[in-house]
Amino acid sequence: MVGGIGVSKIRQNIVLTKEILQALKGYAESMQKNVTFVVQNGEHSKREELVSFLSDIAGVSEKLSVEERDTNGELRSAISFLLEADGEDTGIRFSGIPGGHEFNSLVLAMLHAAGTELKLDDSVKSIVKAVSEPLNFEVFISLSCHNCPEVVQALNQFALLNPNITSEMIDGGLYQNLISERDIQGVPSVYLNGELFANGKVDASVLINKLLERDASLKDANKGESLPLQDVTVIGGGPAGVASAIYSARKGLKVAVVAETFGGQVKDTMGIENLISVPKTTGPELVGNLMEHVRDYDITLKEHVRVDNIEQGNVKTITLSSGEQIRTRSIIVATGARWRELGVPGEKENVGNGVAYCPHCDGPFFKGKDVAVIGGGNSGIEAALDLAGIVKSVTVFEFMPDLKADQVLINQAEKRDNITIIKNAATKQITALNGKVNAIEYQDRSTNEVHTRELAGVFVQIGLIPNSQFMKGTVDMTQYGEIIIDDKCLTSEPGIFAAGDVTTVPYKQIVISMGEGAKASLAAFEYLLSHEVIETEKESEKETEAA
Ligand SMILES: Cc1cc2nc3c(=O)[nH]c(=O)nc-3n(C[C@H](O)[C@H](O)[C@H](O)COP(=O)(O)OP(=O)(O)OC[C@H]3O[C@@H](n4cnc5c(N)ncnc54)[C@H](O)[C@@H]3O)c2cc1C
């Protein structure tokens, strides 16, 4: 993200204030290439606004310019423009005026096109560079969408890496005909060569994995690539993984971190008020701090790639989705978990605006309001009891005719005046007004009647899924997929430790994950001191082959 630019103030009516232009001027000083915004000729009511917006930006540096031209069908309409770097088409296109949350996408596209280093792992770059067929991406966005810029920015970088790739941001608000033609229900919605490719919350790792699903041979670009032997490899870049990596690096160990999405669940969190000593922060801010802290140490970070497999042994071999391998003397698994989703309309769209998964975290934001808890198991009833002390009322919706929670919890819930329990209820949809949840629609499964209940928040409590599938058969797990650890975070396999939400540790919280991560790394250090972890002949051969 381009820090410091107050894009939130820009919204749809773009006002490039003196402060914003000053900040842009500073960024533009590092530009190595000339960048031209090429605007398609033609008529459109918004065209003048677009040209004036781009001209204001171009005014900050001699290296920037605006040109109006007929691009012979390269661009969609008279409010579309592309970026050229030193006269070469970059493959980056914008259809609409990138204000709101997309302003950062435009600024980053401009700086990356001018030579600023791309923020992608080398193995990801190799995969993108290996694409040999034309890939034309269209990303439908809305300027108020928080999740859209990440997709636009990732695809713009792909376009810069490979002339076979183009990436076009399309403001759905200005292309209503396309939105209805393609029946687009939510943004971001990504099309590849005219076919739906991805939608919803998507980041660079998801896009890369989808490209690999389409063409597994792209992995060959990284064949034979391997890091030097690591003392500790941390899998996961959430609070537990980051704590593990920092503690390990501080012991002088050689550390690598593999993180599909750096920040983990924290990235999806709006407000955090229970990280002790930090009274108030946001997910993106905390992720920024975690990254800064990691960067303070000599830690190899492999981002946007996933661990697919672990080969056990004295020295362990980790295989990444990019095709690379890492040989390591110990492993800390900190791959976290994800909340099981309801999968009804209005859920994904309103996360952070009334739809929540964590009562400890988000309950206080609903003080004095009416909320629902979906799920009548132990976690649902515990959540209802927890919330009942803060909010005005809690309605628990249970799909089955009976609650699954322990009787002692049910008894406590029944004693509370502000908890109502509705059984045999199938949630149909969550509705919102002005961007905030305002009601839930549910069907009484005994009568099939559909009812609406007005409320401000919905807490989904239908389970947490540990991200542990790739460890099946390697370490012992519970029936729910949690990795079983002892009090020093050791798993059933010597040299493999685990920390945070992916484990059996009770209570899934940031501060707990950080503590567990620290503990796992100290235990790994102790293990490395007391075990001679040396390579067998066969393993050394592998190293020689890779080198
Ligand atoms: C919406 C929301 C709000 C929350 N609010 C709060 C709050 O206010 N306060 C609080 O204390 N807690 C909160 N939590 C809970 C908290 O975020 C988690 O407890 C914490 O993030 C767990 O940390 P972790 O490192 O164990 O796992 P995660 O944060 O889940 O991180 C897991 C990491 O592993 C990576 N990963 C997964 N699989 C692989 C793989 N195969 N290969 C490579 N990498 C992989 C992920 O990409 C990620 O980097 C919230 C959770 C959510 C979802």
Side-chain angles (χ1 to χ4, degrees):
M1 249 198 32
V2 178
I5 293 187
V7 280
S8 59
K9 286 188 207 130
I10 302 170
R11 297 283 166 215
Q12 270 89 336
N13 296 322
I14 301 138
V15 181
L16 290 169
T17 60
K18 243 175 31 196
E19 292 75 32
I20 293 171
L21 291 172
Q22 197 57 39
L24 281 179
K25 198 172 175 177
Y27 293 129
E29 275 166 16
S30 62
M31 288 175 67
Q32 295 151 34
K33 292 186 188 173
N34 292 315
V35 172
T36 310
F37 302 120
V38 179
V39 188
Q40 171 63 41
N41 280 342
E43 302 277 321
H44 193 287
S45 58
K46 289 262 177 192
R47 192 159 189 286
E48 207 183 310
E49 193 185 333
L50 171 66
V51 173
S52 127
F53 168 68
L54 293 176
S55 303
D56 284 351
I57 295 173
V60 305
S61 166
E62 281 180 356
K63 291 206 171 284
L64 290 165
S65 57
V66 181
E67 208 180 298
E68 298 180 58
R69 199 196 290 165
D70 189 356
T71 59
N72 298 321
E74 274 300 320
L75 290 174
R76 184 176 296 278
S77 78
I79 43 160
S80 299
F81 64 97
L82 57 81
L83 269 67
E84 279 183 356
D86 280 351
E88 295 282 323
D89 184 1
T90 58
I92 299 175
R93 283 111 175 79
F94 289 88
S95 285
I97 310 175
H101 289 297
E102 291 305 335
F103 186 64
N104 274 328
S105 302
L106 174 64
V107 176
L108 281 174
M110 177 184 109
L111 297 177
H112 286 149
T116 302
E117 202 189 331
L118 304 186
K119 288 214 163 124
L120 292 173
D121 188 75
D122 285 346
S123 62
V124 170
K125 287 184 191 165
S126 305
I127 289 171
V128 175
K129 283 182 187 168
V131 170
S132 58
E133 56 173 328
L135 299 183
N136 298 313
F137 288 101
E138 298 162 303
V139 191
F140 289 87
I141 58 101
S142 80
L143 296 181
S144 56
C145 160
H146 289 272
N147 297 327
C148 296
E150 192 155 4
V151 190
V152 173
Q153 288 162 23
L155 289 173
N156 284 348
Q157 293 187 69
F158 290 6
L160 286 169
L161 284 167
N162 188 328
N164 291 317
I165 301 177
T166 62
S167 164
E168 180 187 7
M169 180 219 84
I170 304 173
D171 178 358
L174 295 176
Y175 292 88
Q176 282 300 323
N177 51 340
L178 270 181
I179 294 285
S180 33
E181 212 174 90
R182 301 204 191 179
D183 195 21
I184 293 172
Q185 309 277 333
V187 287
S189 190
V190 184
Y191 281 73
L192 170 56
N193 297 342
E195 301 285 328
L196 184 63
F197 182 69
N199 56 10
K201 219 179 129 30
V202 178
D203 62 10
S205 61
V206 174
L207 294 168
I208 283 292
N209 288 333
K210 283 192 170 277
L211 283 182
L212 289 171
E213 273 168 30
R214 263 181 116 246
D215 180 1
S217 73
L218 294 174
K219 271 187 195 180
D220 294 348
N222 291 309
K223 215 172 188 173
E225 290 294 324
S226 156
L227 296 178
L229 178 66
Q230 301 292 306
D231 293 319
V232 181
T233 299
V234 178
I235 311 176
V242 170
S244 305
I246 291 171
Y247 263 72
S248 299
R250 288 175 64 82
K251 289 284 180 197
L253 300 174
K254 203 167 184 52
V255 188
V257 176
V258 184
E260 199 172 1
T261 304
F262 187 87
Q265 294 167 67
V266 171
K267 219 173 150 208
D268 298 333
T269 309
M270 285 297 145
I272 300 166
E273 298 184 355
N274 58 358
L275 177 57
I276 305 313
S277 90
V278 183
K280 214 173 187 150
T281 186
T282 65
E285 200 175 337
L286 180 54
V287 174
N289 292 341
L290 292 174
M291 181 61 96
E292 203 181 319
H293 208 167
V294 164
R295 294 280 182 221
D296 278 349
Y297 293 89
D298 187 13
I299 293 171
T300 305
L301 174 61
K302 304 216 58 81
E303 217 185 330
H304 305 134
V305 287
R306 195 183 57 207
V307 169
D308 278 343
N309 182 45
I310 292 175
E311 214 177 289
Q312 283 151 293
N314 193 22
V315 165
K316 297 156 207 332
T317 304
I318 296 176
T319 305
L320 309 187
S321 51
S322 58
E324 281 173 291
Q325 292 199 319
I326 303 177
R327 289 164 318 95
T328 185
R329 298 168 72 209
S330 68
I331 294 176
I332 298 174
V333 183
T335 45
R338 55 195 190 280
W339 298 95
R340 195 184 291 280
E341 292 170 4
L342 267 176
V344 300
E347 180 188 23
K348 267 201 170 109
E349 299 86 331
N350 292 305
V351 171
N353 286 314
V355 174
Y357 296 87
C358 176
H360 307 296
C361 322
D362 298 334
F365 299 123
F366 294 87
K367 200 170 175 186
K369 297 188 175 157
D370 299 310
V371 303
V373 168
I374 314 290
N378 278 345
S379 54
I381 299 299
E382 272 178 21
L385 289 165
D386 189 356
L387 289 164
I390 308 166
V391 303
K392 187 168 154 210
S393 78
V394 187
T395 309
V396 178
F397 292 91
E398 166 57 47
F399 185 80
M400 301 304 283
D402 295 304
L403 296 178
K404 289 162 283 161
D406 295 342
Q407 195 55 46
V408 52
L409 287 172
I410 298 173
N411 293 346
Q412 282 185 47
E414 284 173 346
K415 276 192 214 143
R416 302 293 284 259
D417 290 343
N418 63 347
I419 297 181
T420 309
I421 297 171
I422 302 181
K423 296 179 215 167
N424 229 356
T427 309
K428 288 289 164 198
Q429 73 164 322
I430 297 164
T431 59
L433 190 66
N434 299 327
K436 296 277 170 208
V437 164
N438 70 336
I440 192 167
E441 230 177 74
Y442 67 97
Q443 185 172 36
D444 181 331
R445 294 173 65 227
S446 57
T447 62
N448 283 340
E449 274 173 40
V450 175
H451 304 276
T452 300
R453 200 162 183 107
E454 287 185 11
L455 37 76
V458 177
F459 286 82
V460 182
Q461 289 291 302
I462 54 174
L464 203 61
I465 310 172
N467 298 318
S468 61
Q469 299 80 341
F470 70 103
M471 295 297 291
K472 256 196 185 137
T474 307
V475 293
D476 289 349
M477 294 180 198
T478 65
Q479 56 173 314
Y480 307 109
E482 289 177 335
I483 297 177
I484 299 170
I485 52 168
D486 69 8
D487 56 4
K488 283 192 172 175
C489 298
L490 178 62
T491 67
S492 56
E493 175 67 14
I496 302 187
F497 301 80
D501 280 15
V502 74
T503 69
T504 41
V505 73
Y507 312 120
K508 314 301 193 205
Q509 291 284 278
I510 295 168
V511 75
I512 292 173
S513 288
M514 286 180 171
E516 289 290 302
K519 205 206 287 177
S521 71
L522 295 175
F525 179 64
E526 218 172 79
Y527 165 83
L528 290 171
L529 283 183
S530 55
H531 291 74
E532 204 183 356
V533 187
I534 45 163
E535 288 189 293
T536 61
E537 240 174 68
K538 204 170 140 229
E539 283 160 346
S540 311
E541 272 169 29
K542 266 193 196 166
E543 180 176 22
T544 319
E545 273 170 32

